[in-house]
Amino acid sequence: MGLFDQMSGYGHEQIVFVRDEAVGLKAIIAIHNTTLGPALGGSRFFNYATEEDALFDVLRLSKGMTLKNAAAGLALGGGKAVIIGDPAKLKSRDFFHTYGKFIQSLSGRYYTAEDVNVSADDVAMIEETCKYVVGTPNISGNPAPFTARGVYMGMKAGANAKFGSDSLKGKTVAVQGIGSVGRLLCEFLAKEGAALKVYDINKAAVDKVVADLGAVAVSSDEILTTDCDIFAPCAMGAVLNTENAGSLKCALIAGAANNVLLDANTGDALKKLDILYLPDYIVNAGGVINCGMEVTEGYNLDKINQRVDGIYDTTLKIVSLAKEKNISTYQAAEEYAWSIVKGHS
């Protein structure tokens, strides 16, 4: 499929390919939709196997940001960037200065922030050559605590809908991915009395959660098939598809990862299996709320926490809409978000 066909299929406005040989920079910036305002989405630094994989990821992620920002009530459009390469080898002040200049050249059509392998300190270096940056240490900082809090609130709402109570005490939650957000989510869950099963490619992170929170470690193969009440994907996207959905042994899915489902067909498959899927961009919007309000309203922590806690009510709206129309929650979330975008077009 050609590039413009892919852009048309996802509905993108603009894709920017940038490179600088001197610092080893290769990146793709995807601006999906700016109907509600300038595009906002983090920069992901990942050593993709192929450039095609990077393009696939950024197209899906940027579309997801349009839906996430709209559903979160932010006057912002959707965008995302992926930086291709090994962050351990490429990161430097010159590298991020060069990257920042490329974003600056877009004149505010795209605001960036933290994402996988890009920290608040990295964003601070980008800001030295670019004013279209949020999530810097001196203002909103690391969005991970807000993302984790939002996922936790969404999970409680989902539990209320699925189990008749939003208490997670005694529930078994299988958490895939113990990065900054996954770890914090585990802390929320353990504090409420949930039992944890965990997996991460980083064994040290798993060992620490096992030691600190009494979690049970499982293997990469087991995390999708282990007995649990709730599956919480908090790593990379597209982990669930129509082939492996039938192997799940959970009643509810709620996690911090973006684009958890490969496609809409997977959403339909989960509905048929009577597994309640809470769309990722609904429950994981806490981080973008924290960063986005820098642009739209100015940073106010009390307002941000109130908005993040509101993910509980938004989640219930999606579940209710899906039930009312007898459609998957995947489809219901898209209808909800697009209705907001189209209402402003």
Side-chain angles (χ1 to χ4, degrees):
M1 184 183 294
L3 177 57
F4 283 98
D5 290 331
Q6 292 183 65
M7 288 181 69
S8 177
Y10 285 102
H12 281 76
E13 296 176 2
Q14 184 177 9
I15 299 176
V16 182
F17 294 84
V18 302
R19 63 177 289 276
D20 186 284
E21 204 166 297
V23 297
L25 173 65
K26 290 196 298 184
I28 308 172
I29 302 168
I31 297 173
H32 180 257
N33 188 293
T34 56
T35 300
L36 297 179
L40 168 64
S43 291
R44 174 168 297 191
F45 205 148
F46 194 73
N47 199 12
Y48 291 94
T50 68
E51 293 172 0
E52 289 76 15
D53 288 347
L55 179 60
F56 176 73
D57 204 25
V58 78
L59 290 175
R60 284 165 51 83
L61 289 167
S62 51
K63 178 182 176 181
M65 289 307 304
T66 293
L67 301 174
K68 181 186 292 190
N69 292 338
L74 296 170
L76 293 165
K80 201 78 172 184
V82 295
I83 302 170
I84 304 167
D86 184 347
K89 296 178 179 178
L90 291 172
K91 279 189 180 185
S92 70
R93 176 165 263 101
D94 285 345
F95 184 93
F96 285 117
H97 281 182
T98 301
Y99 180 57
K101 289 175 184 177
F102 279 114
I103 296 173
Q104 180 70 23
S105 72
L106 296 174
S107 304
R109 278 180 54 77
Y110 170 65
Y111 281 77
T112 198
E114 297 92 336
D115 202 271
V116 174
N117 292 323
V118 174
S119 68
D121 289 338
D122 297 332
V123 166
M125 287 187 278
I126 295 172
E127 188 187 29
E128 290 169 3
T129 57
C130 175
K131 66 180 180 180
Y132 304 110
V133 182
V134 294
T136 56
N138 59 318
I139 304 181
S140 62
N142 181 11
F146 300 91
T147 304
R149 178 172 176 160
V151 173
Y152 173 67
M153 295 303 295
M155 188 181 291
K156 286 179 71 66
N160 195 2
K162 189 67 178 178
F163 307 123
S165 168
D166 67 8
S167 173
L168 299 173
K169 184 177 181 179
K171 300 298 183 193
T172 298
V173 184
V175 182
Q176 180 191 45
I178 313 297
S180 56
V181 175
R183 165 71 196 210
L184 290 169
L185 177 61
C186 286
E187 291 177 6
F188 277 116
L189 295 170
K191 186 176 181 179
E192 190 167 341
L196 298 171
K197 294 183 176 182
V198 297
Y199 168 74
D200 192 282
I201 194 169
N202 181 351
K203 186 177 182 299
V206 172
D207 290 344
K208 187 160 178 56
V209 173
V210 170
D212 295 348
L213 304 177
V216 175
V218 298
S219 70
S220 59
D221 293 332
E222 292 172 321
I223 193 65
L224 291 180
T225 60
T226 190
D227 284 310
C228 60
D229 298 294
I230 303 168
F231 172 52
C234 297
M236 298 297 280
V239 296
L240 294 177
N241 53 57
T242 54
E243 293 183 6
N244 64 18
S247 299
L248 293 168
K249 296 176 183 176
C250 62
L252 174 66
I253 300 171
N258 291 310
N259 297 321
V260 171
L261 308 189
L262 180 63
D263 52 27
N265 291 334
T266 311
D268 294 335
L270 293 172
K271 179 178 182 295
K272 290 178 182 177
L273 291 166
D274 196 29
I275 297 174
L276 178 57
Y277 165 67
L278 304 183
D280 43 78
Y281 57 84
I282 298 297
V283 300
N284 72 11
V288 78
I289 290 170
N290 175 59
C291 295
M293 287 181 69
E294 282 189 50
V295 180
T296 60
E297 300 179 32
Y299 197 76
N300 181 300
L301 186 58
D302 289 337
K303 285 185 178 181
I304 287 165
N305 283 329
Q306 185 178 12
R307 184 77 69 85
V308 172
D309 288 349
I311 288 173
Y312 185 106
D313 293 329
T314 304
T315 301
L316 291 181
K317 284 181 185 179
I318 300 305
V319 175
S320 178
L321 180 62
K323 185 175 181 180
E324 175 190 335
K325 293 194 169 187
N326 192 27
I327 57 178
S328 71
T329 50
Y330 180 100
Q331 185 178 345
E334 286 218 350
E335 288 191 10
Y336 176 77
W338 280 122
S339 70
I340 295 170
V341 175
K342 291 174 182 175
H344 288 76
S345 59

